[in-house]
Amino acid sequence: MSIYFEEKSRTFHLTNGMISYIIKVLRNDHLGQLYFGKAVDHREDFDYLVEIVQRSMTIYAYPGDMKFAIEHLKQEYPAYGSGDYRQPAVRVIQKNGSAVTDFIYESHRVIDGKPKLEGLPATYCESDEEAQTLILTVRDSLTGVKIELLYTLFADRPVLARSARFVNEGADDVYLDEAMSLSLDLPDCDYEFMQLSGAWCRERYIYSTHLRPGIQSVESTRGASSHNHNPFVVLKRPHTTEDAGEAIGFSLVYSGNFIARAEVDHYDVTRVTMGINPLNFSWKLEPGESFQTPEAVMVYSANGLNAMSQVYHKLYQKRLARGYWRDRPRPILINNWEATYFDFTEEKLLSIARTAKDQGIEMFVLDDGWYGNRINDKSGLGDWYPNLNRLENGIVGLAERIEELGMKFGLWIEPEMVNFDSDLYRAHPDWVIQTPGRRMSHGRNQYVLDYGRKEVVDCIYEMLEKLLSEAKISYIKWDMNRSISEAFSGVLAADRQGEVMHRYILGVYDLYERLTSAFPQVLFESCASGGGRFDPGILYYAPQGWVSDDTDACERLKIQYGTTMCYPISCMGSHVSISPNHQVRRATPMKTRANVAYFGTFGYELDLNALPQEELDMVKDQVAFMKEYREVIQYGTFYRLASPFEGNIVCWMCVSEDQNVAVVGWYKILNGVNMPFSRVRLQGLDEKKSYCIDGGESYSGSELMHIGLITSDGSAGELVDGVIPSCDFDSRLYILKVDVDLPEGR
Ligand code: DGJ
């Protein structure tokens, strides 16, 4: 890993043998972007990449010079206003109202390791050998605003992590109206823009469109990263597949309003910018103040989307997620939400827990409805103490009884919200986000606390700290069930109202940081009406997240498949629920519901006492199976093999680090009759090893990867007793275990 600086040509080359990133200080002292992609050999200059020519209708930088035009140059961190008409990375509003700045190179330094980003989640190193960081300083001399651009290159990953830190070293206030985490100019536009988009109950579907002139973007303005668009996009070549071709991933480690856009200019240059959404964002920087942008993580793959995803999986699993649970297989849990909703008593919960324990389930999670006056979704939010009318022994007593059964106890909270009908709201009606004189919109009868106010976060922290200290709680499900509207803070001055949304999310991070530090062994699972805030920012605090409120196995194929584009299996909350399913009324086999849920953290969300004995026996077997294979599934290398967005068959697999064990999940959406034979080419195996499939026949890794695994099912076979021996929503798991290393030459 090297970060070169060539003094004569003023060129920076960051390379680790996998990727190269090249920046040059241009003639006007701005930073130019020369290259990002597969590693290239170093040389003293890459000046041939700075192409300047005279063209009509161009604004030139220097009097008498008809060539040097910012508009034609690939910029590193472009500013608004001086002849670059594309979307900027930075826009600073000044005392006189001007938004024009001129950020010129001032200095740079290279440090070992990776600095922490104050108050923000970010990837990290465990030792200084793991990464190097280039800090490039540029300054606008008129305002005195300095920007430190941070580039962290990881030693053995094709990853570059970027962010920007602003410091006002001038004499006047300025306002940051646009402060992106990254900007990247690529020399052509032959890319597809891939995004993960959807809505509640159908999060993170994969969409790809070829770039065209103009801007394509995804964003959130809701106060959370949202169900609708994930802060993650990919630029991939049109021919790129899961296994071959170029792809560049862009992922923002942030949970609030974001934007990710690709702009193709009139010379087919593609500019990617990613960061805090500038819509209604404005951050006042008084003299001496600083502002740190969230981090954006770029991954380059020359070998397709699976390779790109695997880099994100490992990075986010090991160098974004933190703490006690980071490397541990996740407990198999039972959650009572779809079993009881608000209708439970302590005895009912305990009876579900007892049955769960008998099947080997490790943790019981009590969802919504245990606190304040929470009998339905109209009251109680904000009052984080138990409802003793419903739970006579409180949370302390219930947790104790669950522990006595030999299980761990987990609890649901939604700490960012209040209902009007709550003690907290009655005591502090001014703590909610509301605009004076305006209507207050609600979502699910609830209102959003102003987490930009420290006293609000302190108060919630105290309630939760008491709860977690008193009761034996091993897991917290942190929910968040509405978007922010009428954004305004009662404690901020008029010229700081553009800070509300970002301050809100900083408050959320602050509470997460305080709780996870005070209770390091508690496993946090994030949730936002399912996957409404499923992003890398939250993953820094909560190593797993509830992927979606849609628990139907067939729907989950798309949701989980899309989610794996960026996020590791170990962070994907997935449960077996009842059939017919509560969201779509679809009936699916018990086996398939588990076969889908295994590819996640795994648990159950149904009334086990309502299951016939035959299904309970299946639960027992499933739990035993997951205990044996969760390490491979959650921490192995994951491959997408057949996409639910493209066909009737879905397939994916996980391979252990040592390539000795693999678990393949195969799913068929609709059944057919007299269907073709089928096979799936596996991935990630050792060609030279022989794998025994489900304790039966053995095949070499090379056969399984190049010829394929035979997956033909009953729909491609003979009728049995006059009917097809397969069904809709069928599925299979294949367990591959190495039996022998193959002799040379076989
Ligand atoms: C939304 C979550 O996504 C559900 O799992 C459940 O916890 C409900 N909220 C409870 O209100």
Side-chain angles (χ1 to χ4, degrees):
M1 170 183 51
S2 306
I3 298 184
Y4 297 98
F5 175 60
E6 293 295 340
E7 221 159 318
K8 202 155 155 244
S9 62
R10 300 201 295 176
T11 303
F12 298 90
H13 181 188
L14 297 79
T15 184
N16 59 6
M18 284 173 269
I19 55 171
S20 280
Y21 192 91
I22 305 173
I23 303 166
K24 178 182 168 62
V25 183
L26 300 170
R27 182 180 150 198
N28 62 349
D29 291 331
H30 287 194
L31 300 176
Q33 158 47 234
L34 299 194
Y35 176 71
F36 175 51
K38 198 167 176 157
V40 295
D41 290 341
H42 183 62
R43 50 187 280 158
E44 281 176 9
D45 74 68
F46 291 87
D47 290 355
Y48 66 94
L49 294 173
V50 183
E51 293 172 282
I52 48 170
V53 290
Q54 179 174 346
R55 294 187 194 249
S56 297
M57 270 311 292
T58 298
I59 303 296
Y60 297 102
Y62 299 105
D65 178 315
M66 292 292 282
K67 283 194 173 167
F68 193 89
I70 297 177
E71 183 179 357
H72 298 169
L73 292 163
K74 292 162 199 80
Q75 309 281 320
E76 190 50 36
Y77 197 71
Y80 171 82
S82 286
D84 183 332
Y85 298 97
R86 296 163 287 187
Q87 295 293 307
V90 51
R91 209 161 74 90
V92 181
I93 311 296
Q94 299 140 54
K95 197 177 171 190
N96 64 0
S98 164
V100 176
T101 49
D102 189 22
F103 284 100
I104 64 167
Y105 168 75
E106 184 175 272
S107 62
H108 72 273
R109 64 202 153 99
V110 174
I111 57 171
D112 289 335
K114 183 172 192 295
K116 269 183 94 124
L117 303 190
E118 180 126 16
L120 283 168
T123 56
Y124 59 88
C125 294
E126 287 203 326
S127 77
D128 278 355
E129 287 78 58
E130 285 183 10
Q132 278 193 325
T133 302
L134 167 67
I135 303 172
L136 267 172
T137 302
V138 294
R139 183 185 297 275
D140 176 52
S141 58
L142 209 57
T143 57
V145 173
K146 171 176 107 175
I147 312 175
E148 291 179 341
L149 299 170
L150 276 74
Y151 302 83
T152 298
L153 179 68
F154 286 82
D156 46 17
R157 305 172 199 265
V159 173
L160 197 65
R162 298 179 54 181
S163 70
R165 183 169 172 269
F166 291 75
V167 188
N168 183 357
E169 294 184 348
D172 296 317
D173 298 345
V174 294
Y175 297 84
L176 302 180
D177 274 18
E178 186 127 3
M180 289 291 127
S181 299
L182 76 76
S183 180
L184 176 68
D185 284 357
L186 295 161
D188 71 273
C189 65
D190 191 20
Y191 290 102
E192 286 180 1
F193 183 87
M194 179 188 268
Q195 63 195 70
L196 303 180
S197 297
W200 173 74
C201 269
R202 49 183 172 83
E203 297 91 339
R204 293 175 295 285
Y205 281 20
I206 298 172
Y207 294 86
S208 288
T209 336
H210 201 284
L211 290 181
R212 53 183 160 67
I215 300 169
Q216 289 170 64
S217 66
V218 288
E219 64 176 344
S220 170
T221 56
R222 293 173 173 271
S225 48
S226 87
H227 299 89
N228 312 94
H229 302 293
N230 200 257
F232 172 71
V233 296
V234 182
L235 288 191
K236 69 177 196 70
R237 297 296 185 185
H239 60 267
T240 295
T241 63
E242 288 288 2
D243 315 314
E246 260 194 324
I248 309 175
F250 301 87
S251 167
L252 190 66
V253 186
Y254 189 56
S255 313
N257 289 350
F258 75 93
I259 193 158
R261 57 194 176 200
E263 176 176 9
V264 176
D265 77 5
H266 46 306
Y267 298 119
D268 284 354
V269 169
T270 302
R271 170 169 295 171
V272 180
T273 39
M274 184 177 230
I276 293 176
N277 196 332
L279 184 65
N280 210 38
F281 169 80
S282 174
W283 193 275
K284 183 178 182 181
L285 264 193
E286 292 179 12
E289 286 184 342
S290 62
F291 180 83
Q292 172 67 56
T293 72
E295 175 168 284
V297 177
M298 304 194 305
V299 169
Y300 174 81
S301 166
N303 302 310
L305 294 166
N306 268 324
M308 176 203 70
S309 298
Q310 287 158 8
V311 172
Y312 277 114
H313 294 173
K314 302 281 178 217
L315 180 74
Y316 285 178
Q317 202 165 51
K318 299 294 181 192
R319 292 294 179 267
L320 178 64
R322 301 173 297 168
Y324 180 82
W325 283 101
R326 187 187 74 177
D327 304 327
R328 288 183 157 78
R330 303 304 159 77
I332 298 172
L333 60 82
I334 173 116
N335 176 302
N336 76 308
W337 180 242
E338 288 198 17
T340 66
Y341 295 103
F342 289 114
D343 181 19
F344 59 80
T345 59
E346 182 179 291
E347 190 35 48
K348 192 164 173 183
L349 299 175
L350 283 170
S351 73
I352 295 174
R354 275 185 219 109
T355 312
K357 172 66 188 166
D358 289 345
Q359 316 317 313
I361 293 174
E362 297 160 314
M363 183 185 293
F364 177 85
V365 175
L366 173 54
D367 210 281
D368 196 355
W370 57 268
Y371 52 92
N373 181 32
R374 186 71 162 181
I375 39 171
N376 52 36
D377 66 14
K378 293 191 174 56
S379 59
L381 285 170
D383 299 341
W384 301 110
Y385 30 83
N387 179 343
L388 296 176
N389 294 328
R390 175 173 266 185
L391 298 173
E392 55 274 24
N393 298 299
I395 290 299
V396 173
L398 177 63
E400 232 166 63
R401 282 168 178 73
I402 298 287
E403 287 254 340
E404 277 161 17
L405 292 177
M407 298 176 88
K408 295 291 177 199
F409 176 73
L411 193 63
W412 177 100
I413 56 172
E414 192 179 359
E416 297 155 66
M417 302 290 157
V418 278
N419 291 115
F420 280 168
D421 184 2
S422 68
D423 293 344
L424 187 73
Y425 182 78
R426 281 184 282 273
H428 300 286
D430 60 316
W431 279 9
V432 296
I433 290 181
Q434 55 185 315
T435 300
R438 302 280 172 202
R439 178 175 46 77
M440 278 166 80
S441 307
H442 75 98
R444 206 193 184 198
N445 309 300
Q446 64 194 53
Y447 299 85
V448 187
L449 288 168
D450 184 355
Y451 262 47
R453 293 172 67 164
K454 187 164 178 308
E455 69 273 29
V456 175
V457 178
D458 286 348
C459 169
I460 301 294
Y461 175 77
E462 275 157 31
M463 280 192 261
L464 296 176
E465 196 266 342
K466 184 169 183 310
L467 193 69
L468 281 153
S469 306
E470 287 175 359
K472 291 186 175 139
I473 296 172
S474 303
Y475 159 108
I476 286 286
K477 176 178 173 187
W478 177 324
D479 205 349
M480 195 285 289
N481 284 305
R482 65 157 287 188
S483 307
I484 298 177
S485 57
E486 291 92 31
F488 185 92
S489 172
V491 294
L492 289 179
D495 64 350
R496 285 196 179 270
Q497 291 300 329
E499 301 175 11
V500 172
M501 292 292 211
H502 184 58
R503 284 187 184 276
Y504 176 84
I505 214 72
L506 292 180
V508 171
Y509 290 152
D510 179 34
L511 185 60
Y512 255 121
E513 185 66 43
R514 286 153 78 174
L515 287 171
T516 51
S517 310
F519 303 96
Q521 295 207 357
V522 172
L523 172 60
F524 280 76
E525 174 156 345
S526 71
C527 175
S529 294
R533 201 165 59 186
F534 196 101
D535 57 62
I538 290 290
L539 197 51
Y540 182 71
Y541 306 97
Q544 60 190 59
W546 185 225
V547 170
S548 176
D549 272 350
D550 193 338
T551 58
D552 171 72
C554 184
E555 301 279 301
R556 276 287 185 132
L557 287 173
K558 282 187 176 167
I559 298 169
Q560 292 179 203
Y561 192 96
T563 303
T564 66
M565 202 49 79
C566 180
Y567 303 98
I569 297 292
S570 59
C571 81
M572 289 168 40
S574 51
H575 299 168
V576 173
S577 62
I578 200 70
S579 175
N581 170 268
H582 286 186
Q583 289 79 41
V584 292
R585 311 300 306 160
R586 179 181 287 128
T588 52
M590 182 73 170
K591 176 183 73 170
T592 294
R593 281 176 271 149
N595 285 347
V596 175
Y598 289 141
F599 289 84
T601 58
F602 197 65
Y604 290 82
E605 191 162 331
L606 43 72
D607 185 353
L608 289 173
N609 293 325
L611 293 185
Q613 188 57 43
E614 182 198 344
E615 289 198 352
L616 260 190
D617 293 344
M618 290 175 81
V619 171
K620 196 174 218 157
D621 291 346
Q622 291 165 356
V623 171
F625 168 83
M626 191 55 180
K627 283 181 181 167
E628 190 172 346
Y629 290 99
R630 62 184 155 185
E631 182 95 43
V632 178
I633 296 177
Q634 292 170 354
Y635 293 96
T637 306
F638 178 82
Y639 292 84
R640 292 175 297 270
L641 302 177
S643 167
F645 299 100
E646 286 165 14
N648 194 43
I649 299 295
V650 182
C651 194
W652 53 42
M653 69 185 287
C654 289
V655 186
S656 64
E657 275 321 295
D658 61 8
Q659 295 172 298
N660 283 344
V661 183
V663 181
V664 179
W666 178 93
Y667 314 87
K668 179 178 65 182
I669 296 169
L670 291 182
N671 202 15
V673 60
N674 196 22
M675 297 299 281
F677 299 119
S678 68
R679 57 180 81 164
V680 177
R681 287 193 199 177
L682 303 186
Q683 298 261 345
L685 304 176
D686 184 334
E687 300 215 342
K688 292 279 165 230
K689 285 178 175 168
S690 165
Y691 293 87
C692 171
I693 316 269
D694 297 331
E697 288 288 310
S698 292
Y699 304 92
S700 67
S702 60
E703 286 174 281
L704 290 165
M705 292 196 292
H706 308 317
I707 298 175
L709 172 74
I710 301 294
T711 53
S712 307
D713 71 347
S715 65
E718 294 164 11
L719 303 183
V720 175
D721 296 333
V723 293
I724 311 158
S726 60
C727 61
D728 288 347
F729 316 117
D730 210 351
S731 67
R732 294 212 211 108
L733 280 192
Y734 298 91
I735 311 300
L736 280 62
K737 283 188 182 167
V738 160
D739 44 13
V740 280
D741 284 344
L742 298 174
E744 281 301 313
R746 183 183 136 162

